[in-house]
Amino acid sequence: MQTSNRDIAETFIKLADLLELEDENPFRIRAYRNAARIIRSYPKNFHEMVEAGEDLTQIHSIGDTLAKKIREIVQTGKISLLRRLEKEIPHDLEIMLKIPSLGPKRVRRLHEILHINTLHDLETALKKGEIESVKGFGPKLIQIITEGLKQKRYETHRHHLYDVLPIAQALAEEFRKIERVDRLEIAGSIRRRRDTVKDIDMVAACFSGSPLMEHFVSHQDVKRVVMEGPTRSSVILKNGLQVDLRIVPPNDFGAAMHHFTGSRAHNITLRKMAVKKGIKINEYGIFRSDKRIGGEKESDIYEIMKMQYIEPELRENRGEVALALQHSLPRLIERGDIRGDLHMHTTCSDGNATLEEMAEAARVLGYEYIAVTDHTKHLTIAHGQDEERVLQQMEMIDRLNATLKDFTILKSAEVDILADGTLDLSQSVLEKLDLVVGAVHYKFNLSKKEQTRRILKAMENPCFNILSHPTGRLIGLREPYEIDMDAIIKAAKELGCILELNAQPDRLDLDDIYCKAAKEAGVRIALSSDAHSVNDLHYISYGISQARRGWLEKEDVVNTLPLTQFRKLLRR
Ligand code: DGT
Ligand code: CA
């Protein structure tokens, strides 16, 4: 394939960016940028000139070094210097360069002053307001960077359910109001409440002559139409999200919803099972010897198959079809089962609401109790509390509890699990707490053996109750750290420890697979918001979705218990 002038120019720009990140000689960097500009708009094709053996140094601004580099690009597709830089420089810094307003100079400043190396570091620094302290980063610039970072995540990763669900719901609501639309629902992985989703799938039942499709492809939020047809179109929204819309006749809606809800593996298993009963299921309906016998409602499928209804969150082909045929599916936990929240922060560490405000907000949500789990001293960046401050906070809680009716604040802390597996508060203070939540916040890169040993040692402390965000993943930003989860689940069972399902939308940790594994091993789960503000308490609903995907029932989750029963459980 021929290298275009544009390809060469872009390689030089990238080279200049990366050299600038490395604080290289400014003249050298400027030479690459100049060359890029000239090459891009040069009337003749460089690839052809190289092949014809022409002398490139005849061109203004192209010296020997640049000519050599151009030949290297044409002949090998790349420059070895660029390869080396790409290896040396953290990949996230390269992604950061593409955030609007964040050129190499600014990325380097953030790297040097705030030690920002990853997108996650950047996000944390933005959240904590640390970037404001760096000279030249005013509120407007910070706003642009914040938006740009969000956009980058859209482009480079699957999207967080948390970011996409409200957008999908708003569109669905709008589309339902359009003439001759009978029903319209969100399908695909969003309906199954996967923690990340690739796109928005929608299915509409329309009567003939509905203007829905026309409205959809010409919507104000659409940047580009990928595909357009009377029954199926795909668009890219201005925020980068893809939306697929299917329109079916009202009579086919149930079958189509089932088909486009997926998962694909679930559909295949269910359809195979149907074939054994002489039934054919596809996106158009349910058929017995080519006679259509249903498909208007999704429930037709389950009724005709004489099986239990399978909630969308379970449709992942993890054994749900067989259990539904035996009528023995789990009764999945619901939002209303939650009686308390066991992980949240206040202004005593890195939260932005006071103890009183968090308690009041939780009471309004209908909770009976909360555990306040501010950070401990090792986490200086989050203003973690030392023993003295923890004891002061406990007194504050006692005073507040005395004024609250039918509501209890449990005294707790999110105690750092130190590198050697000891806990970040003295044993005598740990013993005074109602509940100890332990978490790893640094040294993520220990070997699997060491990391597992560290956590197991912490769990062995008789005061330890809940292991918070057990795998440490940040969806799309940080992989889980290496740990032997089987060993941790086994130890939790033996020691009477609880594992957390942290409901922060970018954590959802434990994930669905590990929730199911923990449940099967008889280990209980704490479903907690890890709220840092009053609003964050709502994260719990994303935790509920993940818990349901992990087959959890009310009985598997400790904070569905009334307080007295929950307290009993804490005694180890
Ligand atoms: P995603 O988009 O990767 O987050 O996950 P899904 O499950 O939403 O996948 P998507 O959008 O490709 O397709 C939506 C549903 O449509 C999928 O769950 C099942 C159904 N589907 C799509 N293509 C096929 C197919 O080739 N065979 C079958 N049986 N079902 C399909
Ligand atoms: Ca999808």
Side-chain angles (χ1 to χ4, degrees):
M1 213 180 69
Q2 207 185 52
T3 318
S4 69
N5 287 0
R6 213 175 125 188
D7 294 336
I8 300 169
E10 268 166 16
T11 305
F12 278 179
I13 287 171
K14 184 158 185 200
L15 193 59
D17 281 350
L18 296 189
L19 286 171
E20 202 165 350
L21 268 185
E22 294 242 297
D23 206 7
E24 256 287 344
N25 177 340
F27 292 102
R28 194 171 164 211
I29 295 164
R30 197 172 315 142
Y32 282 123
R33 291 203 198 285
N34 275 341
R37 219 177 24 248
I38 288 160
I39 294 165
R40 193 191 296 268
S41 55
Y42 201 70
K44 277 170 72 183
N45 182 291
F46 274 83
H47 191 114
E48 284 164 13
M49 288 191 283
V50 168
E51 279 187 338
E54 283 181 38
D55 181 7
L56 301 178
T57 59
Q58 299 292 78
I59 300 165
H60 176 65
S61 287
I62 308 277
D64 276 340
T65 320
L66 286 170
K68 210 169 135 224
K69 292 263 181 312
I70 294 170
R71 281 199 296 275
E72 195 184 346
I73 297 172
V74 168
Q75 281 153 5
T76 72
K78 234 185 173 167
I79 309 179
S80 51
L81 171 63
L82 185 57
R83 274 206 198 96
R84 200 200 74 205
L85 289 172
E86 281 177 335
K87 254 194 217 140
E88 281 173 2
I89 294 171
H91 181 62
D92 275 8
L93 290 188
E94 268 181 55
I95 298 176
M96 257 177 245
L97 288 176
K98 297 193 199 115
I99 292 174
S101 302
L102 256 192
K105 277 203 192 74
R106 284 179 172 147
V107 171
R108 205 177 74 229
R109 283 265 282 293
L110 294 177
H111 171 75
E112 283 170 353
I113 298 171
L114 297 176
H115 310 293
I116 289 176
N117 278 318
T118 65
L119 291 176
H120 179 62
D121 294 346
L122 177 62
E123 188 163 56
T124 309
L126 282 166
K127 267 191 194 153
K128 297 216 159 94
E130 288 167 344
I131 296 197
E132 288 155 40
S133 67
V134 181
K135 208 172 145 238
F137 283 79
K140 195 149 186 200
L141 178 61
I142 289 175
Q143 174 70 22
I144 294 170
I145 297 172
T146 308
E147 285 306 312
L149 178 62
K150 241 189 187 160
Q151 182 76 20
K152 256 320 58 65
R153 288 178 112 178
Y154 269 127
E155 288 164 15
T156 50
H157 306 284
R158 286 171 67 82
H159 317 298
H160 284 120
L161 176 67
Y162 176 78
D163 291 324
V164 177
L165 185 61
I167 297 171
Q169 283 169 334
L171 285 175
E173 200 149 305
E174 180 186 330
F175 295 160
R176 281 187 196 114
K177 294 190 191 122
I178 289 171
E179 267 169 83
R180 301 188 66 74
V181 173
D182 181 27
R183 275 171 292 169
L184 184 143
E185 296 293 342
I186 300 162
S189 50
I190 302 181
R191 183 164 179 234
R192 304 197 311 279
R193 296 292 192 266
R194 266 194 75 172
D195 44 28
T196 64
V197 303
K198 179 189 72 195
D199 55 9
I200 301 176
D201 302 289
M202 288 188 183
V203 179
C206 291
F207 302 108
S208 59
S210 170
L212 174 62
M213 201 51 101
E214 177 55 35
H215 182 95
F216 175 64
V217 293
S218 53
H219 193 275
Q220 60 191 17
D221 293 342
V222 168
K223 179 167 79 185
R224 189 159 65 82
V225 177
V226 179
M227 190 191 75
E228 189 177 352
T231 60
R232 179 183 179 183
S233 296
S234 291
V235 302
I236 309 281
L237 300 180
K238 285 177 184 156
N239 61 19
L241 267 176
Q242 175 160 341
V243 191
D244 292 354
L245 173 66
R246 299 280 182 140
I247 297 185
V248 300
N251 208 30
D252 296 354
F253 185 69
M257 268 308 284
H258 188 270
H259 176 83
F260 292 110
T261 296
S263 67
R264 188 180 294 203
H266 168 88
N267 289 355
I268 291 170
T269 301
L270 182 70
R271 286 166 190 192
K272 272 195 194 145
M273 216 61 95
V275 168
K276 285 190 193 152
K277 293 177 179 245
I279 295 164
K280 191 172 99 186
I281 300 170
N282 62 28
E283 63 179 288
Y284 307 106
I286 309 158
F287 306 85
R288 182 178 275 130
S289 27
D290 287 336
K291 187 175 171 283
R292 191 185 147 101
I293 53 174
E296 198 226 321
K297 299 192 301 303
E298 197 177 50
S299 57
D300 292 349
I301 293 175
Y302 300 97
E303 278 163 27
I304 288 168
M305 291 281 289
K306 297 197 173 51
M307 67 199 295
Q308 243 178 318
Y309 175 72
I310 304 177
E311 299 283 356
E313 294 95 326
L314 290 181
R315 299 185 198 171
E316 296 291 350
N317 199 30
R318 295 178 188 153
E320 72 279 5
V321 175
L323 283 189
L325 285 162
Q326 296 164 20
H327 289 256
S328 37
L329 284 174
R331 269 183 66 126
L332 300 183
I333 184 172
E334 289 170 8
R335 176 72 179 78
D337 295 330
I338 298 291
R339 287 172 186 255
D341 192 331
L342 301 174
H343 187 157
M344 67 187 65
H345 300 266
T346 71
T347 43
C348 289
S349 66
D350 61 346
N352 67 17
T354 62
L355 197 58
E356 288 84 352
E357 287 165 339
M358 291 306 274
E360 175 57 17
R363 221 182 42 78
V364 170
L365 286 178
Y367 292 158
E368 295 163 26
Y369 53 92
I370 55 171
V372 169
T373 56
D374 278 307
H375 288 289
T376 56
K377 59 183 183 285
H378 185 271
L379 210 59
T380 44
I381 193 165
H383 311 291
Q385 307 198 99
D386 59 10
E387 282 78 0
E388 198 187 323
R389 283 169 61 202
V390 170
L391 291 171
Q392 283 168 8
Q393 190 185 36
M394 289 172 70
E395 281 174 26
M396 278 162 62
I397 293 175
D398 279 335
R399 281 197 300 274
L400 189 54
N401 270 337
T403 70
L404 294 168
K405 216 173 137 263
D406 301 325
F407 188 86
T408 305
I409 304 170
L410 296 169
K411 288 169 270 185
S412 184
E414 181 179 5
V415 186
D416 250 69
I417 297 177
L418 302 177
D420 64 358
T422 56
L423 297 176
D424 190 28
L425 285 177
S426 70
Q427 200 64 18
S428 68
V429 170
L430 291 174
E431 279 165 9
K432 290 192 178 77
L433 294 169
D434 293 316
L435 163 72
V436 171
V437 177
V440 166
H441 289 121
Y442 69 107
K443 284 229 184 220
F444 298 126
N445 57 354
L446 295 182
S447 71
K448 185 169 180 173
K449 212 165 146 194
E450 286 173 307
Q451 196 69 278
T452 306
R453 201 184 302 141
R454 170 190 191 181
I455 294 172
L456 291 180
K457 170 135 190 253
M459 289 165 72
E460 279 160 14
N461 186 315
C463 291
F464 191 102
N465 297 115
I466 300 177
L467 176 62
S468 179
H469 43 75
T471 75
R473 74 167 179 166
L474 288 173
I475 300 171
L477 285 178
R478 188 172 72 211
E479 290 294 313
Y481 34 73
E482 299 268 339
I483 48 170
D484 181 347
M485 207 48 179
D486 290 339
I488 289 180
I489 289 174
K490 199 159 149 254
K493 175 68 187 167
E494 280 162 13
L495 296 165
C497 291
I498 298 161
L499 299 181
E500 182 184 78
L501 193 185
N502 187 299
Q504 284 213 8
D506 60 351
R507 289 191 182 272
L508 293 168
D509 180 10
L510 294 178
D511 70 8
D512 47 356
I513 307 268
Y514 282 138
C515 281
K516 189 161 182 274
K519 174 200 171 93
E520 282 163 4
V523 172
R524 299 223 232 186
I525 302 289
L527 209 173
S528 307
S529 71
D530 195 355
H532 286 67
S533 73
V534 164
N535 246 339
D536 294 353
L537 290 168
H538 294 284
Y539 288 161
I540 210 81
S541 60
Y542 289 87
I544 293 280
S545 296
Q546 187 80 322
R548 289 166 62 87
R549 289 179 54 80
W551 294 47
L552 299 189
E553 300 175 273
K554 185 177 172 183
E555 295 69 32
D556 300 314
V557 174
V558 293
N559 45 320
T560 62
L561 291 169
L563 183 59
T564 36
Q565 282 185 42
F566 174 60
R567 276 190 196 273
K568 272 188 209 148
L569 196 85
L570 293 176
R571 251 177 263 140
R572 276 180 54 186

